[in-house]
Amino acid sequence: MNKKIFLSIGLIIVLIVLIVLVVVGYFSLTISKEQISQPKSDSGIYIDKQLGFSIVPPKGWHIDKKEMPGSIAFFEKDGGQIVNKQFNPTLAITSWPDEKLSLEKHVERIKKMYSESFESSKIVSDIVVIIDGREARIIESNITNTVTYNTPKENCENCKFQLKKLDVILASGTGKIYYVTGMAPETSWNAYKGLIENSQKTLRLIAE
């Protein structure tokens, strides 16, 4: 009888230990997944293994992965690029094949795109910087653009915006080019330029 009691107690202890291990393992796995997909740690680092980069967005900005395939965007206000018919300060990161072109060629291409895509554009500055140990370019520009932006929440017909734009162009050296674009209304640019530029400089490339 005593042996049976001891055996029963032993089985109960083993089962309790197994249950504890399973529960701990489950919550550890859940936390790990959350930290990768929705990084909300004190560091504020956003990691995107699919696009191959990490970045620290401005604190409190909202992520949106629907604006354009192959890119992600952060908006100051939740809701997309236009909120209450006002331009929403934006930080967007896009990755494309580099087509074996030099960084200088990509800079020339994006400057040409400015003149063709916007009603008016003016390059304010173009400087060489080092980001993540790689040579990159930061281009500041003024642009005027008229957009029609219709979503279930927003209807903006022929809305004209005077914007300031800051682009970081960085070649990975492994077949990709990265564009990190920050934009905000011209009238409030001084309040956002530092936030955007500081965030852009936290760009780090990671193995996919």
Side-chain angles (χ1 to χ4, degrees):
M1 179 67 68
N2 289 340
K3 287 184 179 179
K4 288 183 179 181
I5 292 171
F6 286 129
L7 284 172
S8 298
I9 293 171
L11 285 171
I12 290 169
I13 292 170
V14 169
L15 285 172
I16 290 171
V17 171
L18 286 173
I19 290 168
V20 169
L21 288 173
V22 169
V23 170
V24 170
Y26 171 78
F27 281 109
S28 298
L29 181 60
T30 303
I31 291 168
S32 297
K33 286 182 178 178
E34 287 177 353
Q35 287 174 342
I36 292 171
S37 60
Q38 298 291 337
K40 296 180 180 178
S41 63
D42 293 337
S43 65
I45 298 173
Y46 171 80
I47 300 171
D48 195 313
K49 291 187 176 180
Q50 184 176 359
L51 295 179
F53 73 88
S54 69
I55 197 166
V56 181
K59 188 176 181 180
W61 285 30
H62 302 267
I63 188 169
D64 189 326
K65 296 184 178 182
K66 301 175 183 177
E67 282 294 307
M68 188 169 66
S71 73
I72 62 102
F74 295 93
F75 297 111
E76 183 189 31
K77 300 179 183 71
D78 195 13
Q81 196 171 64
I82 311 296
V83 176
N84 297 325
K85 297 188 178 180
Q86 300 295 315
F87 188 87
N88 197 1
T90 305
L91 180 74
I93 304 97
T94 307
S95 173
W96 298 98
D98 66 12
E99 302 175 45
K100 298 183 179 180
L101 298 177
S102 66
L103 179 61
E104 186 62 39
K105 289 292 183 182
H106 281 283
V107 170
E108 291 174 7
R109 178 181 286 185
I110 200 168
K111 287 181 178 179
K112 183 180 179 182
M113 184 189 74
Y114 290 166
S115 62
E116 294 175 349
S117 301
F118 306 116
E119 290 175 40
S120 67
S121 67
K122 179 182 178 182
I123 304 295
V124 176
S125 63
D126 177 2
I127 62 173
V128 177
V129 295
I130 301 298
I131 295 177
D132 194 23
R134 299 169 171 85
E135 184 177 302
R137 296 282 279 276
I138 296 184
I139 303 171
E140 183 177 349
S141 58
N142 301 331
I143 63 172
T144 301
N145 203 29
T146 299
V147 300
T148 294
Y149 190 87
N150 294 316
T151 70
K153 293 183 179 180
E154 199 73 40
N155 186 349
C156 190
E157 296 286 344
N158 298 319
C159 295
K160 180 173 283 191
F161 298 106
Q162 303 284 343
L163 305 173
K164 288 274 196 176
K165 195 167 186 281
L166 198 65
D167 287 292
V168 165
I169 308 170
L170 183 147
S172 68
T174 57
K176 283 190 174 182
I177 195 84
Y178 286 82
Y179 294 94
V180 187
T181 299
M183 288 190 288
E186 186 177 35
T187 53
S188 56
W189 181 243
N190 289 340
Y192 291 102
K193 182 182 177 181
L195 287 175
I196 289 170
E197 188 171 6
N198 288 340
S199 181
Q200 289 171 324
K201 289 180 178 179
T202 68
L203 178 71
R204 298 292 181 268
L205 305 189
I206 59 176
E208 296 182 43

